[in-house]
Amino acid sequence: AQSVSQHNHHVILSEAASLELGCNYSYGGTVNLFWYVQYPGQHLQLLLKYFSGDPLVKGIKGFEAEFIKSKFSFNLRKPSVQWSDTAEYFCAVNAHPSGTYKYIFGTGTRLKVLA
Amino acid sequence: DTAVSQTPKYLVTQMGNDKSIKCEQNLGHDTMYWYKQDSKKFLKIMFSYNNKELIINETVPNRFSPKSPDKAHLNLHINSLELGDSAVYFCASSQGPGTGGTGELFFGEGSRLTVL
C-alpha cells in the first residue's frame, strides 16, 4: 500500500532561519507529489507540486521542493522563514496505477516560527 | 467566488443523532472527495466520486453514506453519531491533468463536527 512519511512532527525556528521538511513515500511507480500548507483555522492550500520534468520545483511564498526519485523523497525547503509561515505542512502523493486518483497525505509537520 | 464550499462550517450535536454536510464545487472538476482530519491533524481519505460514481471507499463505518447527485455536489450523511466522529471534515475536488485539469486537490474550508 502507498504511504507517505513526514519525519519532523514539530519544528520550531527563529525568523530568518532556513527550513527543510522531510517527506518520503513508498510506491514504486509513477507518482505526482504535492506540498500543502494549512494556516491555523484554515483549509489546505497548495504550496507546490511535481508531476514531471525538472525535479526542483518552486512554489508560492518562496518555497521549493526537490524530487529525488532514488530516495523516494520530496523535501520542502525555504531559505529564510517568516513568522507568517507558522502553519501545518502536509506532503501528499497521488499514485494512480489503475487510473484512480488517490491522494495520500503524510501526518503533517507543525512549524512554529518565533518572531 | 468560493471554489469549493461546504455547509455547515460548524456542527454541534448529541450522540446518536444523524447529520449531513453538503459540498459544492464550481470548478467544473470531475472528481470529489471527503477527507477526515482528526485532532492530531491527520488527514484520512474517506470517499471519492468521479462523475457521480463512487471510486474510493476506504474503511469507513456504514454509518457514513456519501451521495453525489451530480458531479458538482458531494454530500456526506452520518447516522447514529458517536464521540469518535468528532473531527473536521474536508471536501475537495480535482481534475486530472490528462483531462484538462491541473491535478491538485482544491479543498473546502472544512466542517467542524463536535459530538457531545
Side-chain angles (χ1 to χ4, degrees):
Chain A
Q2 305 134 25
S3 66
V4 179
S5 299
Q6 291 181 242
H7 316 295
N8 320 99
H9 297 295
H10 290 93
V11 173
I12 301 175
L13 294 172
S14 298
E15 273 195 314
S18 64
L19 171 72
E20 179 158 2
L21 301 182
C23 173
N24 287 88
Y25 64 93
S26 66
Y27 181 67
T30 303
V31 293
N32 300 326
L33 298 156
F34 308 83
W35 275 98
Y36 281 85
V37 61
Q38 186 177 26
Y39 297 104
Q42 294 189 28
H43 64 291
L44 281 84
Q45 303 166 47
L46 182 71
L47 270 180
L48 47 78
K49 63 185 180 186
Y50 173 80
F51 280 23
S52 63
D54 188 345
L56 183 63
V57 290
K58 295 195 183 298
I60 61 171
K61 305 188 181 192
F63 286 91
E64 65 178 32
E66 185 175 12
F67 170 51
I68 303 179
K69 190 174 181 180
S70 60
K71 294 186 178 179
F72 298 89
S73 70
F74 190 55
N75 292 353
L76 181 72
R77 299 194 291 247
K78 184 170 183 178
S80 175
V81 294
Q82 299 173 308
W83 178 79
S84 57
D85 293 324
T86 294
E88 194 94 20
Y89 292 81
F90 294 92
C91 181
V93 166
N94 176 2
H96 48 101
S98 58
T100 299
Y101 282 93
K102 187 172 179 178
Y103 297 78
I104 306 296
F105 283 80
T107 50
T109 297
R110 183 166 297 180
L111 172 65
K112 184 169 183 174
V113 180
L114 305 173
Chain B
D1 197 17
T2 306
V4 182
S5 58
Q6 298 178 226
T7 54
K9 288 192 168 37
Y10 298 95
L11 272 162
V12 180
T13 189
Q14 300 285 335
M15 274 176 55
N17 284 350
D18 303 339
K19 287 293 176 190
S20 292
I21 307 171
K22 295 186 176 183
C23 178
E24 176 182 4
Q25 54 97 1
N26 63 5
L27 297 166
H29 289 168
D30 60 6
T31 308
M32 295 184 73
Y33 310 77
W34 278 111
Y35 279 85
K36 179 181 180 181
Q37 186 175 47
D38 62 23
S39 58
K40 294 184 179 177
K41 301 289 189 182
F42 182 59
L43 266 169
K44 184 171 163 47
I45 188 166
M46 301 173 69
F47 302 103
S48 174
Y49 273 74
N50 179 266
N51 284 315
K52 303 194 298 174
E53 184 182 337
L54 181 65
I55 56 171
I56 295 174
N57 185 350
E58 292 295 287
T59 312
V60 177
N62 290 340
R63 301 181 292 104
F64 289 80
S65 51
K67 274 201 175 66
S68 181
D70 56 60
K71 74 173 194 176
H73 295 84
L74 180 61
N75 304 324
L76 183 66
H77 187 76
I78 316 170
N79 289 325
S80 304
L81 279 156
E82 300 178 357
L83 292 176
D85 298 333
S86 294
V88 181
Y89 292 84
F90 284 100
C91 177
S93 71
S94 73
Q95 182 82 21
T99 53
T102 55
E104 73 253 33
L105 285 171
F106 290 78
F107 283 88
E109 296 195 346
S111 297
R112 182 177 293 274
L113 171 65
T114 303
V115 182
L116 304 174

